[in-house]
Amino acid sequence: MSGVEHATPGMLILLVILIGPVLYYIRRARSNRDMYVRRIAGIDAAEEAIGRSAELGRPVIFSTGLTSVNPILYACLGVLSYVARRSAEFNSRFIVPQFNPEAMAVVEDTVRDAYRDAGKSSAFDPQSIVFLSESQFAFASGYMGIVHREQVATAFLFGYFAAESLILAEAGQQVGAMQVAASVSPEQVPFFICTCDYTLIGEELYAASAYLSREPVQLGSLCAQDTAKLVFFVFIVIGVGIATFNSLQPGMIDLNIIELIRKPWGF
Amino acid sequence: MESNYRKKLIRLLTFLGGVYFFFEFVLPEAALEGIGLADRHTEISNGFRAFGAMAVGLGIVNLLLVHGSRVLMVRKNWSYSLILLGGLFSMMAVASLDWLQGERLTKTASVYSQLADFSAVIVRDHEEKKEGVLPLKERTSYLTTAAEAALIKLDPHLNTQNVNKEDTLLSRSYIEKISNSRMEAGSYITLLKGLEEFSVEPYDGVKKELSTIRSELQKLLFLKQKNALIKKLYEFLYQGLFVALGSAMFSLLAMYIAAAAYRAFRIKSFESALMMGAAVIVMLGQIPFYAYISSDLPFLRAWLLEVPNSAAFRAIKIGASIAGLVMAFRMWFSIESESFSHEEKA
């Protein structure tokens, strides 16, 4: 929807369609915790990956890539918290290289809380949350350096990644680390599939936290997302139907959904 | 108890920030103008950005703590940390000095644009018959005195000292333009001094010539600055090292893509065979001599990229965008923070 600076009535309706199910499912999940979430192999493997690092006596590394403080970071925090807690329980060294100073503050707090939850507050080393650089490739080279020097056993790559994704994943591959990656940008997914043991694609990153924590809020919003997707799917089917009919008989149905959504307020 | 209040305050501020941006997006432009928010939006957004900028120091503090302590305690890999800190401080020092030098040059040149603006203001105020300002004659006298002094101050700059050999011709053309404008400006100033009745022409002339002097002088000074030690150091550290190292990292991608493709293209299952088949068609359709194999290859390649590939991309993007929106909604209402720590849930 490029070129739209303010919401149109159509967009408002879409927002309501999206927010309505969120509220409904969160309420429902709070009253009934048993909601079904399909298996996510990458997340199931997290436990094995952390255990592997404990067995080898080598560190676990968790990178949020180029993520700044935005919803993607918050989606990663649930997994970060889980991995940090389990690493603390297994006495594995946990390293979180950072690209963005703002995100670093949030990440440090989450890891500290995770160590406290594991009853290992004294084992938390603030220096394991290390700021590398705000420059993409300087960050990538810093990450590579850590992976090679520390010979990490397990690498989690969760968040927003760009061209450096393959550099990061290859570094892990070179030291034989078990790698789990999750990216919302489809352009980077093929690189992760090629180099990582498990890859979470697109929205699975957002689902991972719910899958791990079984929190009603997260489970509810996961169901809400699926409902919203279903609604959008219906829109797509209607759009495809109209386009097909109109190509067979031009002007047969005079309805343009995109135009309808973009139509500005009448005043 | 105190921590509880802090959390409530954070949630309240997050909510209020969300309310502002939500309504700024949802309300139509006319409504925003009606309540006077449209004009203030840029300032408010900048205010929010200023909060983010405060975190920049956190990165430097972290670097100093992590690497400083490693150097002081002579821990494992301390030499890398020392190089990093050396790089950090030298880049900070050189970049600051370079910035200061640039500022000084801009300030030297900006005198002429200020005088040009003053000339325009005199004309505008006279035409609008603005009250509460100095009389026209007095203002003109200030303008001519200041402009004459500024033109004299041009002398030390009008030479090709400190200019690279390859930039000599360019600098001479700047000097020529400045000299011509200086002469023209001088004649307009003389006209202004003897002006009996108000006329726009000499004021406009002064404005035009001083503006030309400003832009040409700035170009000339920047040419001279190129040879300064600080500029050379900055260029060496930034272009010579930082950018070059970044490019070297980026170039690693080519090798890594080949290695990753080799691993991915090993046919281990039906899915990998499918991927291999698609990749072969796309690659063959891309090469210039595809016609020797099959003339349909480019169409097949385009179909693969535009139909199944685009469909998958869009599906991932739609799913991720919806999930992102839901997450943003949870952040707005601070529902998300309940989930990270066990202690908070209790």
Side-chain angles (χ1 to χ4, degrees), chain A residues 6-7 30 74 78 81 101-102 116-117 127 129 131 135 137 144 149 170 194-195 206 215 217-218 221, chain B residues 24-25 27 29 32 55 62-63 69 77 242 250 256 263-264 323 330-331 335 338-342 345:
Chain A
H6 292 278
R30 276 187 168 147
Y74 279 83
S81 171
E102 294 166 52
R116 193 191 56 208
D117 290 344
Q127 296 197 358
I129 321 291
F131 175 74
S135 160
F137 290 107
M144 276 184 89
R149 281 194 302 275
E170 268 295 319
C194 291
T195 40
Y206 292 95
E215 271 290 324
V217 171
Q218 299 194 23
S221 44
Chain B
E24 195 278 327
F25 178 64
L27 291 176
E29 187 76 37
L32 288 175
N62 181 278
L63 278 176
S69 65
N77 296 326
F242 184 75
F250 188 60
Y256 286 165
R263 275 196 301 275
R330 270 152 50 186
M331 281 167 71
I335 306 173
E338 291 172 15
S339 315
F340 299 133
S341 170
H342 283 187
K345 276 185 273 171

Side-chain angles (χ1 to χ4, degrees), chain A residues 4-7 11-12 15 18-19 22-23 26 30 70-71 74-75 77-78 81 85 101-102 104-105 108 110 113 116-117 126-127 129-132 134-135 137-138 140-141 144 149-150 163 166-167 170 173-174 184 186-187 191 194-195 201-203 206 209 213 215 217-218 221 225 228-229 232 236 265 267, chain B residues 6 22 24-32 52-53 55-56 58-60 62-63 65-67 69-70 75-77 80 84 242 245-246 249-250 252-253 255-257 259-261 263-264 275 313 315-320 322-332 335-336 338-345:
Chain A
V4 178
E5 284 181 7
H6 292 278
M11 285 179 182
L12 262 183
L15 269 177
L18 196 73
I19 292 170
V22 176
L23 295 175
I26 288 175
R30 276 187 168 147
N70 59 25
Y74 279 83
L77 291 183
S81 171
R85 195 164 58 240
E102 294 166 52
M104 188 180 73
E108 191 176 330
T110 307
D113 284 353
R116 193 191 56 208
D117 290 344
Q127 296 197 358
I129 321 291
V130 54
F131 175 74
L132 294 178
E134 271 199 280
S135 160
F137 290 107
S141 61
M144 276 184 89
R149 281 194 302 275
E150 305 289 344
L166 189 59
I167 298 175
E170 268 295 319
Q173 178 75 225
Q174 284 167 358
V184 287
E187 292 83 3
F191 296 127
C194 291
T195 40
I201 300 172
E203 64 190 302
Y206 292 95
S209 191
S213 65
E215 271 290 324
V217 171
Q218 299 194 23
S221 44
Q225 282 167 39
K229 263 195 303 179
F232 285 107
I236 290 169
W265 297 87
F267 53 90
Chain B
R6 205 183 68 176
F22 180 75
E24 195 278 327
F25 178 64
V26 160
L27 291 176
E29 187 76 37
L32 288 175
V56 172
L58 286 176
I60 295 175
N62 181 278
L63 278 176
L65 282 175
V66 172
H67 297 279
S69 65
R70 196 176 289 163
R75 283 202 217 119
K76 193 182 157 197
N77 296 326
Y80 298 125
L84 183 135
F242 184 75
L245 287 171
M249 281 305 291
F250 188 60
L252 279 179
L253 272 177
M255 200 186 74
Y256 286 165
I257 285 174
R263 275 196 301 275
M275 193 161 94
F313 259 55
I316 294 173
K317 284 206 163 167
I318 288 174
I322 292 173
L325 260 171
V326 172
M327 178 64 80
F329 174 74
R330 270 152 50 186
M331 281 167 71
W332 178 16
I335 306 173
E336 188 56 38
E338 291 172 15
S339 315
F340 299 133
S341 170
H342 283 187
E343 196 172 271
E344 267 184 79
K345 276 185 273 171

